[in-house]
Amino acid sequence: MRRALFVFFALFFVCFVFLLLRIFFLDKNDGNRYRKAALAQQSYTNSVLNYQRGPIRDRNGTTMAVSLRRYNLILEPRTLNNNDAMHVRTVDALASFFNISRDVIEKIVASKPDSMYEHIDELRELTDEQVDNFRKKMSEDELIDGVWFEETYSRSYPLKNVGCNLIGFLGSDDHGTYGIEENYNEELNGTTGREYGYFDSNMNLQRTIKNAKDGNEIVMTIDAHVQQVVEQQIKWFQKSGAGPAKHVGVMLMNPNNGEILAMASESSFDLNNPRTLETMYSAKKIAKMSEEEQKEKMMEMWSNFCIGSAYEPGSTFKPFTIAAALDEAVINEDFTCDCTGVKNVAGSKIHCANRNGHGTLNLQHILMESCNVGLMDIAAKMGRTKFSKYTKLYGFGQRTGIDLPGETSGLIHSKEALNAVELATSSFGQTQTVTMVQMMSAFCSLINGGKYYQPHLVREIRSSDGDPVKKFEPMIVKETTSEETSRKLRKYLKATVEEGTAKPAAVEGYSVGGKTGTAEKRPVSEKNYLVSFIGAVPIDNPEVAIYVIIDEPNVEDQAHSTYATEFASRILGKVLPFLGIYADESKIKPKETPEPDTSETTEESNQEPEQKTEEEPKQEEKQEEEKTEEQTEEEQTEEN
């Protein structure tokens, strides 16, 4: 008996070992094939879990762009086909609740009868309210089944047009287009997750989830309310007596750290619907455009004039020439010139703004009166080598590196090309081209003691949890001028507003300094001008710099910088209090009957201000610089 039991257990043990070995070798040699065969008999899902693209906010936390949670409805044809009553009830519920045709749903169910994951194009990006209400309906009727909701996100711009050329928008591939959306696309984007799962024999979904990682938050340097006010004032100007101009550009910048506070032009569009020209043109005008013309106009509408367009600056360039000459010690504060109204340069007569001549002027009055002859004398003393050196030092002819796509560099003369005529005309801002962001960045360095800060629009990047990822500290790129020269320039610029050509730029209760510009455009025979003003407040210790350009005011006689100076004064008077810079009440004269102003809006409002037509800007100030029509054909060719 014992022997029989021993033999039995021995045989059992051998068989057990044999089976283990058999299983081991089967798994080793054919395990993958058997696993695939088993898995092939089950239904699988493999869906993407979308990340939330990071928001964009202004310096005060106002939301400029945000991704809102939405839902795509997912249909399970296989579930519906297993139960006729469920099929009918669910299709009816979907059709009535979402107001879509039953045929659309039935077509999907019929074309993919075994699928457990089908989209319905008409039922994408549903709101929380829609989904919650339908889920409630499902909970009340057990025959409504085979439907679930996949989470996704939709980009929204709460302030619509505000900052449109700065922010950019999302393309069809969820990739940023233009502005911050494009430049910081990698930071704003997160990482998609994945949900894997299969339906077991009881049709229960067995899931494995890899969570998505949301994108980072971008905090901009701009003040949304100030940006909005600037944009509204540009709209006002375009409807005023001197509008619409070809282009209007405005920039506000903190000269002590390179932060852009506002940047806008006449171009505007709704970020929530960027592919329509209706914000810029009437339906009648759009209808007359060819498809190619509409595309071209759309590209122009999306572009940023302040960084992407180059032009001849005119007399706003004069402070740079004077600062360079002071730093090189080729002149000092005692420098004088004798202006007769014209200067003969290499056989070409180049006129001053005052053709009768200014007479004898000291250095401060050369800038105050915007004397071209004085600037030509200064440039001649410098020579082309030194002049070229400082033009490049100030950053002209180079991109500033601002954190926006689409920046251009402008065009300046090489040292070798700065012959006598080119050197003379370049000294007062003609024959070389610049951009607004170049001028603003360089000007800020002239008035802040010589520190050229990297201009930028983003001050911080935060994680989706609000933790700091990167903070953009003020970056001094280079030193452009001495503290002593900067102090002198501030004094001259202040006198220019208080006593010189820039008087209309004054703002009651504030100390404003700045320089006007009236640049004659090519071809000179058409008498088109780009007028401008660049300045700062308070000029003794600058906190805000402003740059205004009006390209071809819509008037017969364009050569008056008053259009730009009065407009700059109007903007400063509205935005300075919002930036925490308040007027000195003791310097404000009481007004008997203050004029009502309906153009301001609250921070929360997106309404355009009521437009009010004011008197056409005064035309008291004639052009500051005008090149003679008697210039030789050779000179005109060189300048063009």
Side-chain angles (χ1 to χ4, degrees), residues 539-597:
I539 190 59
D540 297 319
N541 186 23
E543 295 182 54
V544 176
I546 184 171
Y547 189 21
V548 170
I549 276 184
I550 300 172
D551 185 7
E552 297 185 23
N554 191 24
V555 293
E556 186 175 347
D557 186 9
Q558 300 177 6
H560 302 281
S561 61
T562 307
Y563 298 119
T565 50
E566 290 186 344
F567 189 43
S569 174
R570 179 183 174 92
I571 291 173
L572 286 172
K574 293 180 182 296
V575 304
L576 288 174
F578 292 112
L579 294 172
I581 303 172
Y582 301 102
D584 183 346
E585 299 292 337
S586 65
K587 296 181 180 180
I588 299 178
K589 298 177 182 179
K591 294 181 180 179
E592 295 181 3
T593 309
E595 295 182 7
D597 188 351

Side-chain angles (χ1 to χ4, degrees), residues 125 150 179 412 448 462 534 561:
E125 296 192 4
E150 178 183 68
I412 62 173
N448 71 11
R462 300 172 182 162
I534 194 165
S561 61

Side-chain angles (χ1 to χ4, degrees), residues 462-620:
R462 300 172 182 162
S463 71
S464 57
D465 297 323
D467 298 324
V469 173
K470 183 176 182 181
K471 193 165 185 177
F472 294 85
E473 300 293 343
M475 181 187 297
I476 300 176
V477 179
K478 54 192 170 185
E479 300 279 342
T480 61
T481 191
S482 67
E483 178 63 52
E484 178 62 20
T485 295
S486 179
R487 183 190 61 77
K488 292 175 183 176
L489 260 295
R490 291 196 298 270
K491 183 180 80 168
Y492 300 163
L493 292 167
K494 182 177 182 179
T496 302
V497 171
E498 292 182 350
E499 307 170 45
T501 59
K503 282 183 181 180
V507 182
E508 194 172 17
Y510 293 93
S511 175
V512 181
K515 183 69 188 78
T516 54
T518 308
E520 190 175 26
K521 298 180 66 175
R522 305 293 185 268
V524 296
S525 59
E526 294 187 5
K527 299 296 181 182
N528 287 325
Y529 291 82
L530 183 146
V531 296
S532 59
F533 173 78
I534 194 165
V537 182
I539 190 59
D540 297 319
N541 186 23
E543 295 182 54
V544 176
I546 184 171
Y547 189 21
V548 170
I549 276 184
I550 300 172
D551 185 7
E552 297 185 23
N554 191 24
V555 293
E556 186 175 347
D557 186 9
Q558 300 177 6
H560 302 281
S561 61
T562 307
Y563 298 119
T565 50
E566 290 186 344
F567 189 43
S569 174
R570 179 183 174 92
I571 291 173
L572 286 172
K574 293 180 182 296
V575 304
L576 288 174
F578 292 112
L579 294 172
I581 303 172
Y582 301 102
D584 183 346
E585 299 292 337
S586 65
K587 296 181 180 180
I588 299 178
K589 298 177 182 179
K591 294 181 180 179
E592 295 181 3
T593 309
E595 295 182 7
D597 188 351
T598 60
S599 63
E600 290 190 33
T601 61
T602 62
E603 184 170 351
E604 294 77 21
S605 171
N606 292 316
Q607 298 294 322
E608 293 184 13
E610 179 184 347
Q611 296 297 334
K612 180 177 66 174
T613 302
E614 296 190 353
E615 291 184 5
E616 183 175 327
K618 297 178 182 178
Q619 298 189 10
E620 297 173 354

